[in-house]
């Protein structure tokens, strides 16, 4: 299956240091705290020079380069500059890396989380422990959701071909979803909303590359976007806020996830297929699955309201992936509506 490569490749990308920045990036929090623009630019120049001698057609190397250069350009972006506008060699390199990796020409949640090294090699912007919770939450969320997506695609295949799905198979998905949401949620609880808005959020501001503004890593850049759509959201009206967000946000996913999204765009959703097949086991499973998502989204909505409240939001009216609070609310309502359609 076309997801198998990416499911095996995260650890390889995380292990790579093609730009030889492991040592220097340990000092990134100190450079950011000191607003040491000169040292940041020196590291960026070194990265660009090193990249010129690498095999950038190698997908794993390209992802690792995009990750580490992404940390540097986002650090510079926080100082108020648009790094690619001031460095033609950087812009060309970013466009090259984006073309090879098949995603946007800057770092995404994929690089910030699941392809970020762990322990002493982990890349961070700050010394705040809150950031460790953010990175670990994204890492756990992405990995678990990718595994769940693979199983949901199998379920969809089974429904399309009227092949029964065993109780053990369906229960395994529910267990994995519960574990993923709990573990990611526990990590995210470590994040003080004021620390996020004032100390972390500025690193995810949009960066202009070849005239296009690309947002930084954000919660919308995870496989849940694909899961939602193959479950029910592809059948939302084109003007629905989550449909608009999905069609824009899919470009921040990896090509493998983009391929799943594009392949299933005009096909019946899992909820629709379950309605036609009328399998009590699958219907019960989907009700439980949607209930888990609804509980998660109710919590997410409360967290987002708190983060974007006047006392916590800082200079921001949107989440780091560019979505407004209304999108979070409407996605919750759409998930509830999918459940209603399923049981009517």
């Amino acid at each position: 299956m076309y997801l198998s490569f990416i499911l095996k490749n995260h650890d390889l990308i995380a292990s790579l240091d093609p730009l030889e920045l492991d040592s220097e990036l340990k000092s990134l929090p100190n450079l950011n705290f000191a607003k040491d623009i000169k040292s940041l630019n020196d590291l960026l120049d070194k990265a660009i020079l090193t990249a010129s001698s690498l095999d950038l057609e190698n997908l794993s190397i390209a992802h690792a380069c995009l990750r580490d250069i992404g940390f540097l350009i986002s650090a510079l972006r926080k100082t108020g500059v648009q790094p690619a506008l001031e460095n033609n060699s950087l812009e060309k390199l970013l466009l090259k890396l984006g073309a090879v990796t098949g995603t946007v020409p800057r770092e995404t949640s994929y690089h910030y989380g699941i392809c970020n090294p762990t322990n002493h090699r982990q890349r961070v912007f700050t010394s705040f422990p809150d950031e460790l919770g953010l990175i670990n939450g994204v890492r756990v969320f992405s990995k678990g959701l990718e595994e769940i997506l693979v199983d949901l695609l199998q379920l969809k295949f089974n429904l399309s071909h009227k092949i029964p799905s065993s109780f053990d198979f369906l229960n395994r998905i529910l267990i994995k979803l519960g574990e993923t949401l709990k573990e990611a949620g526990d990590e995210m609880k470590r994040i003080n909303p004021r620390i996020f808005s004032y100390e972390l959020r500025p690193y995810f501001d949009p960066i202009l590359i070849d005239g296009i503004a690309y947002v930084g890593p954000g919660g919308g850049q995870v496989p849940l976007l694909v899961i939602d759509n193959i479950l029910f959201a592809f059948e939302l009206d084109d003007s629905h806020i989550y449909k608009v967000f999905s069609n824009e946000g899919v470009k921040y996913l990896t090509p493998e996830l983009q391929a799943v999204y594009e392949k299933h765009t005009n096909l019946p959703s899992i909820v629709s297929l379950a309605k036609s097949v009328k399998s009590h086991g699958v219907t019960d499973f989907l009700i439980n699955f949607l209930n888990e998502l609804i509980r998660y989204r109710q919590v997410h909505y409360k967290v987002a309201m708190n983060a974007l409240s006047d006392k916590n939001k800082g200079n921001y009216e949107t989440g780091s992936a560019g979505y407004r609070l209304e999108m979070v609310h409407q996605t919750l309502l759409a998930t509830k509506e999918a459940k209603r359609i399923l049981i009517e």
Side-chain angles (χ1 to χ4, degrees):
M1 176 172 267
Y2 41 77
L3 279 177
S4 61
F5 170 76
I6 194 166
L7 288 172
K8 297 174 182 175
N9 211 41
H10 305 316
D11 290 343
L12 172 59
I13 295 170
S15 73
L16 297 176
D17 180 30
L19 299 175
E20 301 177 359
L21 289 174
D22 267 1
S23 178
E24 287 93 336
L25 286 176
K26 289 178 182 178
S27 67
L28 188 59
N30 292 332
L31 297 179
N32 288 334
F33 182 77
K35 300 179 181 178
D36 189 344
I37 295 175
K38 181 182 183 306
S39 293
L40 289 172
N41 275 314
D42 287 346
L43 284 178
L44 186 57
D45 289 341
K46 175 192 172 183
I48 294 170
L49 180 62
T50 304
S52 67
S53 63
L54 296 175
D55 176 14
L56 297 182
E57 296 295 333
N58 180 297
L59 184 61
S60 297
I61 290 175
H63 270 302
C65 288
L66 196 54
R67 176 197 66 209
D68 290 349
I69 291 173
F71 269 87
L72 293 174
I73 63 174
S74 292
L76 285 166
R77 181 69 186 96
K78 183 178 182 289
T79 69
V81 304
Q82 283 286 357
L85 293 183
E86 301 178 7
N87 190 328
N88 188 53
S89 296
L90 169 64
E91 185 170 73
K92 288 181 179 179
L93 176 57
L94 291 171
L95 292 171
K96 169 71 173 179
L97 294 173
V100 172
T101 59
T103 185
V104 296
R106 73 168 291 186
E107 87 287 10
T108 66
S109 290
Y110 178 68
H111 304 100
Y112 187 64
I114 200 168
C115 291
N116 195 340
T118 56
N119 301 319
H120 69 282
R121 292 188 59 239
Q122 185 160 262
R123 279 73 165 120
V124 293
F125 290 115
T126 73
S127 298
F128 289 99
D130 308 64
E131 187 177 9
L132 302 182
L134 180 60
I135 292 171
N136 289 336
V138 172
R139 182 184 285 127
V140 168
F141 205 44
S142 297
K143 185 175 186 299
L145 291 173
E146 280 187 354
E147 294 172 5
I148 290 165
L149 175 58
V150 172
D151 284 338
L152 288 178
L153 290 171
Q154 182 62 55
L155 171 61
K156 189 175 184 187
F157 178 87
N158 292 351
L159 287 169
S160 299
H161 295 81
K162 295 183 170 53
I163 300 170
S165 294
S166 71
F167 171 82
D168 287 344
F169 169 67
L170 297 174
N171 194 51
R172 184 183 76 204
I173 302 174
L174 286 177
I175 291 172
K176 184 63 181 178
L177 178 63
E179 291 174 345
T180 298
L181 294 180
K182 182 182 184 305
E183 191 175 349
D186 287 345
E187 292 290 348
M188 293 299 182
K189 287 176 184 175
R190 299 167 59 184
I191 307 169
N192 181 304
R194 284 184 64 83
I195 294 294
F196 177 79
S197 292
Y198 286 90
E199 303 293 344
L200 297 174
R201 177 69 174 79
Y203 292 105
F204 309 133
D205 279 355
I207 290 179
L208 284 170
I209 302 167
D210 197 28
I212 299 173
Y214 295 98
V215 298
Q221 301 169 6
V222 292
L224 185 56
L225 184 147
V226 182
I227 288 173
D228 281 334
N229 278 279
I230 67 168
L231 272 176
F232 64 88
F234 276 138
E235 295 175 359
L236 294 173
D237 186 85
D238 286 345
S239 63
H240 191 283
I241 190 171
Y242 188 60
K243 191 73 172 289
V244 174
F245 175 80
S246 295
N247 288 336
E248 169 65 18
V250 68
K251 69 185 180 186
Y252 290 89
L253 301 179
T254 59
E256 293 81 2
L257 294 175
Q258 291 178 40
V260 175
Y261 187 91
E262 291 165 6
K263 178 178 179 180
H264 293 265
T265 296
N266 296 312
L267 299 177
S269 70
I270 289 177
V271 166
S272 292
L273 289 170
K275 287 277 290 183
S276 64
V277 171
K278 296 183 172 61
S279 164
H280 292 301
V282 172
T283 298
D284 289 344
F285 158 77
L286 287 173
I287 290 171
N288 288 327
F289 193 99
L290 289 168
N291 279 336
E292 287 278 6
L293 286 185
I294 289 167
R295 283 191 288 270
Y296 159 74
R297 291 202 153 112
Q298 287 169 333
V299 172
H300 184 206
Y301 184 46
K302 291 179 182 177
V303 169
M305 282 196 296
N306 186 34
L308 294 173
S309 66
D310 288 340
K311 69 175 183 178
N312 290 326
K313 67 181 181 180
N315 296 320
Y316 298 98
E317 300 290 341
T318 67
S320 52
Y323 56 79
R324 294 186 175 275
L325 188 60
E326 179 64 13
M327 198 278 289
V328 181
H329 185 230
Q330 289 299 322
T331 307
L332 169 61
L333 295 180
T335 310
K336 290 181 175 180
E337 177 64 9
K339 177 187 169 185
R340 186 196 67 77
I341 292 170
L342 186 64
I343 62 180
E344 70 178 4

